[in-house]
Amino acid sequence: MANKQPAVTEQTKTNLRQAFWQLYEQRPIRKITVKQITDLAGYNRGTFYLYFKDVYDLLDDIESKVLEVIVDMMRGLLPPDGHFADVAQLRSAAGFEAAMTPLAQAVQIYGKYARVLLSDRGDPEFKAQFKEIVWPSLKRTLPSGRARSPQEERVMKEYCMAGLIAAICAWLDEDDPLPVDTFISLLSEDLVGSAG
């Protein structure tokens, strides 16, 4: 069936997403019903099923939108061949800030979603995808010592990503979060050392 009113369709989907999110911020997904979502959004159950299979499909829709923004904002960070001409610059505080600022901006755009999705209450699959998207850029900015084995590399990845995720959650949990540049500068001081 062709969509004759795309603006109305998108507004309906947005209203359903917002109603779901109000519930999801308060309780686990397994305790959210389609009826609760549609009652809160002011629609009937049939309207929900025009757009989503179930509450998990709706959560996947939200997660996809958040990850898409993160991917889009980080896409330009890696050169096409994956190699950087100035590795020393990359592994400095300035390199870290240049790599992580687009991530922080993307996360801030969807702050209310990212705060929950990356928290302990969030979807583990979302967190795993987030790590896979962010790790290549983060890894290239960290000080390099000796070559690491695959096992050591995995441990380093989990260590760095756990800290980054916890920092993002703490940052977004504030009523008046730090500005993006202040947040990134704070992280760069600890991860790669001060540029000064």
Side-chain angles (χ1 to χ4, degrees):
M1 179 169 86
N3 180 6
K4 296 180 182 177
Q5 299 179 333
V8 172
T9 295
E10 192 51 44
Q11 185 59 55
T12 301
K13 289 170 76 173
T14 297
N15 293 343
L16 291 168
R17 286 182 197 110
Q18 289 174 345
F20 166 78
W21 201 259
Q22 285 179 9
L23 297 166
Y24 190 58
E25 286 181 307
Q26 304 300 318
R27 60 185 80 140
I29 192 169
R30 68 182 182 280
K31 294 189 177 191
I32 299 172
T33 66
V34 170
K35 181 171 180 4
Q36 291 169 332
I37 295 167
T38 55
D39 285 352
L40 189 57
Y43 298 104
N44 61 46
R45 289 170 47 95
T47 300
F48 179 92
Y49 291 113
L50 287 173
Y51 306 108
F52 305 104
K53 292 184 295 190
D54 55 27
V55 294
Y56 294 94
D57 186 40
L58 177 49
L59 177 61
D60 285 344
D61 177 72
I62 291 169
E63 290 177 343
S64 294
K65 289 187 180 318
V66 174
L67 291 172
E68 185 179 306
V69 168
I70 292 169
V71 167
D72 285 348
M73 292 189 81
M74 295 193 73
R75 184 170 284 136
L77 296 177
L78 299 176
D81 65 0
H83 299 288
F84 292 89
D86 187 355
V87 175
Q89 173 66 21
L90 180 67
R91 291 196 168 126
S92 68
F96 176 85
E97 290 172 17
M100 291 297 107
T101 297
L103 169 66
Q105 290 169 336
V107 166
Q108 191 177 44
I109 289 169
Y110 284 105
K112 74 176 186 176
Y113 298 122
R115 181 179 52 81
V116 175
L117 292 171
L118 290 172
S119 74
D120 292 341
R121 283 196 38 241
D123 179 9
E125 181 60 29
F126 177 86
K127 202 179 289 189
Q129 289 178 46
F130 179 85
K131 288 177 183 179
E132 292 307 310
I133 291 166
V134 174
W135 177 242
S137 295
L138 179 60
K139 175 183 170 183
R140 286 173 172 83
T141 68
L142 298 176
S144 179
R146 62 179 174 76
R148 294 186 182 101
S149 71
Q151 182 183 21
E152 291 171 329
E153 185 70 29
R154 189 174 69 75
V155 169
M156 185 58 106
K157 173 185 174 184
E158 292 303 318
Y159 169 74
C160 292
M161 291 305 303
L164 180 62
I165 289 170
I168 289 170
C169 289
W171 173 51
L172 295 175
D173 206 30
E174 294 293 324
D175 291 334
D176 185 20
L178 296 169
V180 168
D181 59 338
T182 304
F183 172 68
I184 294 299
S185 292
L186 180 66
L187 295 183
S188 72
E189 289 172 15
D190 282 342
L191 289 174
V192 293
S194 176

